[in-house]
Structures are given as structure tokens and as C-alpha cells.
């Protein structure tokens, strides 16, 4: 007979996070010109040592990151880095413009309920990318870090999605692994692979930004008699996004 001790989990509510932001807003409405707009910009930075919540008995996690374990269980403070939901720049632009078709001479032959009540609405959102972490996928040490081992970074990639192969974000194609070194079979290493913890930090790279543009043509038409009228609205939306 053989015996042993299974995996043991030590759960603590110790964690640390900090968030700073600068939020600005500019708005203007001109009834005479029939236009209204609002511009919002946020510059922010969020830091923490985990962006998820570890569930009971190791069964579940919640949050934007499904990895709640540190690489080095004896030094969770080394996980401090950008939050997984950290978005440095957020710009939103909202514009609504009344379209005075009823004032155009060549449309005056049409009835007013056909040419009036038209508006053009635009909502645009531009954000910078979110951070992500590179994992080695190898148990580097004897700590059994549950797939959170990170490699050493050996070079500085130029991140871009404008290359002929858009998915080649690091720019070296099949040789992207050359930017990293997995520290196994090293002097003083531990575990089955005789390795150590990697020096690459958590959430050290940022993904591409996200752009969203929504345009709607709106028509408001009153229904019923004066004093007891209702309005019907027709919308013709056109949306586009790019990440």
C-alpha cells in the first residue's frame, strides 16, 4: 500500500489594488444649428496582484482573469502589475444632428410629416488595448504553480497588427518563442524539470486597441390628433467595429 498527501490550498483575503484616473467631458448643444455633441476622455491606470476571485475549494474562479494563483506562492507580491481590465485610454464621442429636410426647396412639395423629424446620431468609442500575460506552459519549479509559470524575456518585440499576417502580433512568425527563455534544467533548479521561476512580470504586454462606430438615421413621426398625440420612431442603424 502507498499513501500520501494530496494538494493543499491555503486561501487568504490578502490582496492589493490601486486605481487612478483623469476624467474629462465636453458638451455643447445648439438648438439654432440643430446639433448637440458630447466628448468624454478617460486616462486611467489600474494595478493589482490578481484580477480574479478564487472560489471555494479550488473549484471556481470569477473575474476577468481565470487565473487566481501566483507564480511564486511564497511571494504573491511579485504578481503586482496592470489589472487585466486596465484600459489606459478611453475616448467616446456622441453627436446628434437634426436634418432640416422640410426647409429644402426641392422637398417642399412633399408633406411635412414626411420631411420633418429626421436626425442623424453617431456614437464612437476608441480605447487602447488590454494587458495580457505570457505563460510558459511548463512546470518550471517544484512549487507546482498550477500553470502560472512565466518565462524570462530575452528580447523586446514590436507589437503590431498591421503586418501582412495580422495575427503575427509579435512579428517573428513561427520564431516568436525566441523572445523568451524557459528556465528549466538550470543549476539550482527544483521540481521534475530542475527549473526556477521566470523573471517576466504579469500583464507586461498590451493587446491592440478597439474602435467602434455606430451611426443611426432616426425619424420621429407624431401620431394622433393635437393634444393627444403619440410619436413613432424609426431607426436605420449602421455599426462597425475594429480591434
Amino acid at each position: 500500500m502507498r499513501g500520501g498527501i494530496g494538494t493543499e490550498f491555503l486561501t487568504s483575503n490578502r490582496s492589493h489594488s490601486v486605481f487612478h484616473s483623469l476624467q474629462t467631458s465636453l458638451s455643447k448643444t445648439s438648438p439654432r444649428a440643430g446639433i448637440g455633441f458630447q466628448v468624454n476622455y478617460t486616462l486611467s491606470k489600474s494595478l493589482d496582484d490578481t484580477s480574479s476571485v478564487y472560489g471555494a475549494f479550488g473549484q471556481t474562479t470569477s473575474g476577468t482573469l481565470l487565473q487566481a494563483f501566483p507564480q511564486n506562492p511564497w511571494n504573491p507580491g511579485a504578481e503586482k502589475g496592470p489589472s487585466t481590465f486596465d484600459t489606459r485610454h478611453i475616448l467616446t464621442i456622441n453627436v446628434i444632428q437634426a436634418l432640416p429636410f422640410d426647409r429644402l426647396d426641392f422637398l417642399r412639395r412633399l408633406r411635412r410629416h414626411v420631411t420633418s423629424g429626421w436626425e442623424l446620431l453617431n456614437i464612437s468609442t476608441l480605447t487602447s488595448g488590454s494587458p495580457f500575460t505570457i505563460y510558459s506552459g511548463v512546470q518550471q519549479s517544484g512549487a507546482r504553480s498550477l500553470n502560472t509559470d512565466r518565462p524570462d524575456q530575452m528580447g523586446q518585440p514590436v507589437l503590431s497588427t498591421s503586418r501582412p499576417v495580422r495575427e503575427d502580433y509579435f512579428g517573428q512568425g513561427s520564431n516568436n518563442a525566441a523572445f523568451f527563455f524557459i528556465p528549466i534544467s538550470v543549476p539550482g533548479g527544483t521540481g521534475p524539470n530542475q527549473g526556477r521561476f521566470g523573471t517576466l512580470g504579469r500583464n507586461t504586454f498590451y493587446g491592440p486597441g478597439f474602435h467602434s462606430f455606430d451611426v443611426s438615421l432616426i425619424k420621429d413621426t407624431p401620431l394622433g390628433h393635437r393634444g393627444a398625440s403619440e410619436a413613432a420612431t424609426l431607426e436605420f442603424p449602421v455599426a462597425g467595429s475594429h480591434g
Side-chain angles (χ1 to χ4, degrees):
M1 296 180 62
R2 293 190 303 174
I5 300 177
T7 303
E8 296 183 3
F9 294 95
L10 176 63
T11 304
S12 170
N13 60 0
R14 177 194 173 279
S15 188
H16 180 267
S17 65
V18 61
F19 175 77
H20 299 286
S21 71
L22 169 67
Q23 302 179 27
T24 61
S25 179
L26 175 65
S27 61
K28 175 67 176 179
T29 301
S30 175
R32 182 176 181 180
I35 188 173
F37 72 88
Q38 183 177 38
V39 179
N40 300 298
Y41 172 72
T42 300
L43 171 65
S44 64
K45 184 176 183 180
S46 179
L47 299 173
D48 59 28
D49 50 25
T50 182
S51 296
S52 63
V53 178
Y54 180 55
F57 305 107
Q59 298 299 316
T60 59
T61 58
S62 64
T64 56
L65 177 65
L66 297 180
Q67 183 54 266
F69 301 98
Q71 175 183 231
N72 184 351
W74 296 286
N75 185 20
E79 300 298 296
K80 183 178 179 180
S83 304
T84 304
F85 48 82
D86 178 49
T87 305
R88 297 295 172 87
H89 305 278
I90 302 176
L91 175 66
T92 60
I93 303 173
N94 305 324
V95 180
I96 186 167
Q97 172 67 61
L99 303 176
F101 293 143
D102 54 332
R103 300 179 185 177
L104 300 178
D105 292 337
F106 67 93
L107 293 179
R108 287 183 177 178
R109 294 182 179 181
L110 300 176
R111 293 189 176 185
R112 185 176 177 82
H113 71 270
V114 175
T115 58
S116 64
W118 290 93
E119 294 178 327
L120 186 66
L121 173 65
N122 170 255
I123 301 176
S124 300
T125 303
L126 297 87
T127 72
S128 56
S130 299
F132 62 92
T133 303
I134 299 294
Y135 296 105
S136 68
V138 176
Q139 182 182 340
Q140 296 171 197
S141 70
R144 296 192 63 186
S145 301
L146 299 177
N147 300 319
T148 60
D149 292 282
R150 298 187 293 267
D152 296 342
Q153 184 174 348
M154 306 302 293
Q156 184 61 45
V158 178
L159 306 179
S160 175
T161 58
S162 61
R163 298 185 175 92
V165 180
R166 189 171 185 272
E167 293 76 11
D168 186 16
Y169 193 51
F170 281 77
Q172 295 296 323
S174 60
N175 197 38
N176 281 328
F179 289 115
F180 307 98
F181 168 73
I182 300 177
I184 58 176
S185 300
V186 297
T190 62
N193 291 313
Q194 294 297 300
R196 59 168 173 79
F197 300 120
T199 58
L200 182 66
R202 168 178 162 267
N203 285 341
T204 50
F205 300 103
Y206 279 80
F210 177 78
H211 308 151
S212 175
F213 305 96
D214 297 294
V215 179
S216 294
L217 182 62
I218 302 174
K219 173 69 170 76
D220 288 332
T221 301
L223 301 176
H225 301 285
R226 292 183 179 179
S229 62
E230 297 180 353
T233 301
L234 298 177
E235 292 191 23
F236 309 91
V238 177
S241 62
H242 176 72

